[in-house]
Amino acid sequence: MNPLTAQQLIDLAYLIAVALFILALRWLSSPASARHGVLAGEIGAALAVLATLCNYEIVDYKWITVALVVGAVVGVPLGLVHMTAVPQRTALSHAFGALAAAMIGIAEYYVRLPHVAKFEMVEISLEVIIGSLTFTGSLIAAGKLQEILPQRPITYKGQNFVSLSVLAAAVLLALWLVFHPEHSRLFPVMVGIALIFGVMLVTPIGGADMPTVISLLNSYAGLSAALLGFVLNNKALVVAGALDGSSGFILSVIMCKAMNRSFTNVMFGAFGQVQVSAHAEKEERTVRSASAEEAAAILGNANSVVIVPGYGMAVAQAQHKVRELYDTLTKKGVDVKFGIHPVAGRMPGHMNVLLAEADIPYDKLADMDTINPEFPQTDVALVIGANDVTNPAAKTDQGSPIYGMPILEVDKARTVMVIKRSMSPGFAGIDNPLYYLDRTLMLFGDAKAFVGDIVRELAGGH
Amino acid sequence: MTSDLISNLWVFVLAAFIGFEVIKRVSPLLHTPLMSLTNALDAIVVVAAIIICGRHKSTLSTVLGAIAVAASFSNMVGGFVITDRMLRMFKTTRTKKS
């Protein structure tokens, strides 16, 4: 047997890299081993890049070096963003990933001209269309999350028809190119249409659906990388793309379930939402409110407290005050846990990161299925900046727009406290019957200031 | 050529199954780091970009390749940096006390 050729050695390096990637994801199963996962991923990636630089096809390193330096210069600051900005950073990185995949697909097309086999052209067109629409779609998502673009869904009559026609036009052009790849003038037109479709895909989707959209775009970005692997016959790309794609897909399914929505509803349902305003039964219902002093007294005497944080807590930058509250209560012997809804925050798992950043131990962070059976034995459920995910109407009121959505059953706790600025309905404009329960105390004020007041009261009043 | 397609399909389907099985087991606590890590791993497309950029078939392919190298390498670097930053923050009650 002949010794391995250089190309075979490179392939072997890719195989090791891919195996390390799978291990990296495997180690994410627990926070204790997760950092090994990052190391494994880094070693795998470094190995693959170094092996590639030895490829005999490369004749000029100048531009590669320049581009790698630019990539590092852009990448490092993007790795150092604030934890509240992680969702938009993630959307932006989906855009970059898709951009890279699209660019390579486009370059391959022009290199292979004029003779491109039919099935190659199918792969290239599909890859470039998905890459391009993911690129612009992710940019729009990032813009919405960064609040450069309006968060509310932008819709017009006949939108779905127009959007689908645009997609159909791109697919028809792709089909034409499969049979006539030499008509290279049509290729940029196809790319342009796919780019426009990406914009049309995400603009009608509202801010509340962003966790699903980000996950879905993640899946598309993975798919475009896998398809690129098909185009270039590179199995490392196929595997990495398949892993990324399945991860995004699983997360989108979890997000959809957590909001009781279907994919089609998230993607095409925006204009059905207008009549949400609901038949307002404006009977004057009374709420009970309490001061920080009263709240502190109840919390101090409780045995068990479950804190339910929502994105409002992060907006108010209250997580560090919440940590102080956690410390104070824990010192008094109160059992404090956090109940986290899957769509708390702006991307899957975002709330956990925000709380971990505030130094709250992760074994105190409980997901919905774990914490729900515990509410009936809980003395106080403290809701901070969350609304719809605690709304009992989701279980009882068939007319409610969120009927069927799984919620954190805080209404089962012995006492419920809700920190809220005012009685105005939340983001989705849905009234919350939780606020009118006898066992509910409304704590009106800014989340950060109010939690701070409670901590002070607890510290002062032994 | 079509045999390549078939063998790639094999790899894709098997990798997707592994992906489903492994990612199902990822703790919901870590779904945000999961997304940033898979993003960094997905940036392996940089290897394809490097070849496109460096083999110098045409000016167009070199330029497109260079853009792709920069875009994907920034994902790779940024993705690993932020994933590690996030994971470092996750501590248990035990590690906190000691």
Side-chain angles (χ1 to χ4, degrees), chain A residues 396-419:
Chain A
T396 52
D397 178 8
Q398 295 212 7
S400 170
I402 55 166
Y403 180 73
M405 183 175 108
I407 58 157
L408 289 159
E409 294 164 356
V410 293
D411 54 310
K412 300 225 166 94
R414 294 190 184 107
T415 305
V416 186
M417 292 192 211
V418 181
I419 302 183

Side-chain angles (χ1 to χ4, degrees), chain A residues 233-255:
Chain A
N233 199 18
N234 182 327
K235 301 208 166 39
L237 297 197
V238 175
V239 175
L243 294 174
D244 195 30
S246 49
S247 163
F249 183 73
I250 289 178
L251 292 175
S252 355
V253 170
I254 294 174
M255 291 299 110

Side-chain angles (χ1 to χ4, degrees), chain A residues 41-273:
Chain A
E42 283 168 348
I43 295 172
L47 196 62
V49 170
L50 290 176
T52 306
L53 290 172
C54 307
N55 190 304
Y56 69 92
E57 281 185 77
I58 299 173
V59 291
D60 182 3
Y61 284 91
K62 187 173 67 208
W63 292 110
I64 296 176
T65 316
V66 171
L68 286 175
V69 171
V70 170
V73 167
V74 175
V76 171
L78 279 176
L80 297 174
V81 296
H82 223 270
M83 286 302 150
T84 42
V86 167
Q88 43 270 47
R89 190 217 82 94
T90 308
L92 201 60
S93 64
H94 294 335
F96 282 177
L99 173 72
M103 289 294 146
I104 299 167
I106 294 169
E108 274 301 302
Y109 169 73
Y110 285 105
V111 166
R112 289 182 194 185
L113 272 179
H115 302 293
V116 191
K118 282 196 182 63
F119 88 94
E120 283 179 18
M121 200 57 218
V122 172
E123 290 172 347
I124 291 179
S125 322
L126 202 59
E127 192 270 319
V128 170
I129 288 177
I130 294 182
S132 306
L133 71 88
T134 309
F135 171 58
T136 48
S138 302
L139 282 183
I140 300 287
K144 284 191 178 216
L145 287 162
Q146 182 68 36
E147 289 167 26
I148 302 169
L149 299 171
Q151 294 252 58
R152 66 190 158 74
I154 298 167
T155 53
Y156 55 87
K157 227 177 163 217
Q159 187 164 36
N160 289 343
F161 178 76
V162 176
S163 303
L164 288 176
S165 309
V166 169
L167 180 62
V171 173
L172 283 177
L173 274 174
L175 269 178
W176 182 269
L177 281 164
V178 167
F179 292 100
H180 306 280
E182 70 283 2
H183 291 183
S184 60
R185 276 191 198 154
L186 291 178
F187 193 79
V189 180
M190 181 188 79
V191 176
I193 294 178
L195 290 170
I196 294 170
F197 179 73
V199 175
M200 299 173 82
L201 188 70
V202 180
T203 37
I205 300 174
D209 282 328
M210 277 303 143
T212 318
V213 173
I214 283 202
S215 314
L216 211 55
L217 290 168
N218 181 5
S219 190
Y220 290 170
L223 196 59
S224 65
L227 280 164
L228 186 63
F230 278 80
V231 172
L232 302 172
N233 199 18
N234 182 327
K235 301 208 166 39
L237 297 197
V238 175
V239 175
L243 294 174
D244 195 30
S246 49
S247 163
F249 183 73
I250 289 178
L251 292 175
S252 355
V253 170
I254 294 174
M255 291 299 110
C256 278
K257 272 193 191 148
M259 299 203 294
N260 191 36
R261 305 273 301 274
S262 65
F263 272 132
T264 35
N265 192 262
V266 172
M267 300 310 289
F268 304 110
F271 61 6
Q273 283 185 342

Side-chain angles (χ1 to χ4, degrees), chain A residues 64 72 104 106 146 149 176 236 293 335-336 375 383 385 391 394 421:
Chain A
I64 296 176
I104 299 167
I106 294 169
Q146 182 68 36
L149 299 171
W176 182 269
E293 198 183 343
D335 175 40
V336 185
F375 277 117
V383 180
N391 192 338
R421 277 184 178 280

Side-chain angles (χ1 to χ4, degrees), chain A residues 14 23 29 129 212 222 241 302 305 315 332 369 373 402 435 451:
Chain A
Y14 286 172
L23 272 179
S29 59
I129 288 177
T212 318
V305 172
V315 172
K332 281 179 174 283
D369 297 334
I402 55 166
Y435 304 156
V451 175

